[in-house]
Amino acid sequence: MTDPIRVIVADDHPVILGGLVSMLESDPGISVVATAADGAALVAATRQHACDVVVTDLRMPGTGGADATRQIRRAAHPPRVLILTTYDSPADVMQAVEAGASGYLLKAAQPREILAAVRAVARGERAMSPAVAQRLSQLQDSEQLTAREVQVLRLMRAGGTNASIGAELGIGAATVKTHVQHIFDKLGVRDRTSAVATGIDLGLLSA
Amino acid sequence: MTDPIRVIVADDHPVILGGLVSMLESDPGISVVATAADGAALVAATRQHACDVVVTDLRMPGTGGADATRQIRRAAHPPRVLILTTYDSPADVMQAVEAGASGYLLKAAQPREILAAVRAVARGERAMSPAVAQRLSQLQDSEQLTAREVQVLRLMRAGGTNASIGAELGIGAATVKTHVQHIFDKLGVRDRTSAVATGIDLGLLSA
DNA sequence: ATTCCCGTCAACCGATCGGCTGATCCGCCG
DNA sequence: CGGCGGATCAGCCGATCGGTTGACGGGAAT
């Protein structure tokens, strides 16, 4: 029998944090060494407590899970990070993976799936639920929008015309039209209304 | 000291269900008599166990929390229902209140808020977090859409033109234009793109 | 150094939208 | 019975969109 896996847990919902801790503690091979209610507290906790795995929510007040992951992974011997969240919008998943997360699970997962994932990432493996992987592929199919295009898409959601969007961004209406066309191509739609709808669906606009 | 408040808890996420139960049980004035993982099991549980308060999520596989609430409230001496969910879309809240819920809290709430709410609804009072009440007023401001208008809004989200929407619904394009105008008036927007965006925001399209 | 992508702008044209006014029919409620 | 709201349809007009093609400059990559 080896030493237990040392885990730090972060979630801004006290109820969920409590449920997670007691669930993890019920496994004799896992030991929760600290908890946090937001990203900043999580980063601080990883500096004060040696641990193998961090289990964290993504959407938290102040510093989010993605930023926290980035900071944690910069350490000398960083722990693995397992994202455990409610949402599976492709943009969220992408952000987490780019930040250096080793796994991405949904809170709908069964306890034994979560425990298995914690052990897997502790071993250095990756853990991603099939549903999440599928959502991620959606985003990869529709190649990513550039920062400028996301800006335009945001203003489209607000109901701006090409001219008013141009005024807002300090560029010409013709340029906005070009961006809009590129957005259509990348999202596979033919009009601004469904562009905004799919943008929201992919999580490009909610964050 | 009176008898403890008998509570039945329902949530499809095992982690959250566990956290809720242990949190509620930590209060000596509250006793959890049963749990359920979906609406159907919840309704069955209320028939097998006498209880004062039901604490339930809204979005669950199969029978959702709103339908379950409706069925529970039809009983002779129905328990009060406290909705505890992640989402605060006005349409969700409205649905729950119409179904007969006595309270609506967000999972982000602090444990003592939740405990206070359980005690409040057990006494017959209503419990609604300020944030939720505010969101609800949003929906009341923008008067409700008719069933037909919601149909049209759904097809607008898919990117349909007035003509194609008319073909889909078996009505003329002119009629669709009228519906669209009414939707604009009710939602306070001037174009279909922001109509769809606010429709999604109000939860009129996600359900 | 050349290529590729991004962002910028231009002109043209048909299709569609958004705003307006007004009309008919039906069911419900008082 | 009369009124009210929902659903249906019509025509008109300017504004805007969506599609297309082409162009220029800058930065990053190879």
Side-chain angles (χ1 to χ4, degrees):
Chain A
M1 185 66 180
T2 58
D3 288 339
I5 301 171
R6 290 163 301 175
V7 178
I8 296 181
V9 185
D11 199 305
D12 59 323
H13 299 3
V15 172
I16 297 172
L17 183 59
L20 264 178
V21 170
S22 64
M23 193 267 285
L24 292 171
E25 286 282 4
S26 75
D27 186 317
I30 295 176
S31 167
V32 176
V33 298
T35 66
D38 59 57
L42 172 59
V43 173
T46 61
R47 292 189 177 137
Q48 284 166 17
H49 302 83
C51 75
D52 308 299
V53 177
V54 166
V55 177
T56 179
D57 193 4
L58 260 192
R59 306 196 184 181
M60 295 185 290
T63 307
D67 282 337
T69 301
R70 245 181 296 274
Q71 292 175 42
I72 291 170
R73 296 294 298 173
R74 274 205 293 266
H77 296 292
R80 320 279 180 177
V81 176
L82 174 63
I83 305 292
L84 182 67
T85 187
T86 305
Y87 308 97
D88 64 345
S89 88
D92 280 350
V93 182
M94 179 71 84
Q95 222 184 351
V97 170
E98 279 174 358
S102 297
Y104 196 110
L105 287 189
L106 295 182
K107 284 179 183 167
Q110 295 299 316
R112 70 169 152 287
E113 293 179 62
I114 298 175
L115 294 172
V118 169
R119 281 190 288 264
V121 301
R123 283 192 303 268
E125 300 171 14
R126 304 201 145 262
M128 181 146 328
S129 29
V132 172
Q134 186 185 345
R135 291 278 287 172
L136 184 58
S137 71
Q138 282 179 23
L139 189 61
Q140 283 168 181
D141 288 352
S142 64
E143 12 179 350
Q144 278 198 62
L145 302 187
T146 68
R148 199 52 153 174
E149 285 159 359
V150 172
Q151 270 185 315
V152 171
L153 188 55
R154 289 195 136 85
L155 294 170
M156 281 167 57
R157 172 176 58 172
T161 67
N162 290 336
S164 75
I165 293 173
E168 182 87 20
L169 297 179
I171 60 179
T175 307
V176 177
K177 287 194 69 166
T178 306
H179 289 311
V180 171
Q181 289 298 330
H182 290 162
I183 293 170
F184 289 173
D185 291 345
K186 290 185 179 179
L187 297 185
V189 299
R190 316 180 60 86
D191 58 277
R192 48 221 287 86
T193 301
S194 37
V196 167
T198 34
I200 293 176
D201 196 45
L202 292 177
L204 298 172
L205 293 172
S206 45
Chain B
M1 185 66 181
T2 57
D3 288 338
I5 301 170
R6 291 163 301 177
V7 178
I8 296 180
V9 185
D11 200 304
D12 58 322
H13 298 3
V15 172
I16 298 173
L17 184 59
L20 266 177
V21 170
S22 63
M23 193 266 286
L24 292 170
E25 286 281 5
S26 74
D27 186 318
I30 295 177
S31 168
V32 176
V33 298
T35 65
D38 59 57
L42 173 59
V43 174
T46 62
R47 292 190 177 136
Q48 285 166 16
H49 302 83
C51 75
D52 308 298
V53 178
V54 167
V55 177
T56 179
D57 192 5
L58 261 191
R59 306 196 184 182
M60 294 185 290
T63 307
D67 283 337
T69 301
R70 245 181 295 274
Q71 294 176 41
I72 291 169
R73 297 293 300 171
R74 274 206 292 266
H77 296 291
R80 319 279 180 177
V81 176
L82 174 63
I83 305 292
L84 182 67
T85 186
T86 305
Y87 309 96
D88 64 346
S89 89
D92 279 350
V93 182
M94 178 70 84
Q95 221 184 349
V97 170
E98 279 174 358
S102 297
Y104 196 109
L105 288 190
L106 295 182
K107 284 177 182 169
Q110 293 300 317
R112 69 171 154 286
E113 293 179 62
I114 298 176
L115 294 172
V118 170
R119 282 190 288 265
V121 302
R123 284 193 303 268
E125 300 170 15
R126 303 201 146 263
M128 178 142 337
S129 28
V132 172
Q134 188 185 344
R135 290 277 288 171
L136 183 58
S137 71
Q138 283 180 22
L139 187 61
Q140 282 168 182
D141 289 351
S142 65
E143 14 180 348
Q144 279 197 58
L145 301 187
T146 68
R148 199 52 154 174
E149 285 159 358
V150 172
Q151 271 185 315
V152 171
L153 188 55
R154 290 196 135 84
L155 294 170
M156 280 168 59
R157 172 176 59 171
T161 68
N162 291 334
S164 75
I165 293 173
E168 182 86 20
L169 296 179
I171 60 180
T175 307
V176 177
K177 285 192 70 165
T178 307
H179 288 310
V180 171
Q181 289 298 330
H182 290 162
I183 292 171
F184 289 173
D185 291 345
K186 291 185 179 178
L187 296 185
V189 299
R190 314 178 63 86
D191 59 276
R192 52 221 286 119
T193 301
S194 38
V196 167
T198 45
I200 293 175
D201 196 46
L202 292 177
L204 298 171
L205 293 172
S206 44

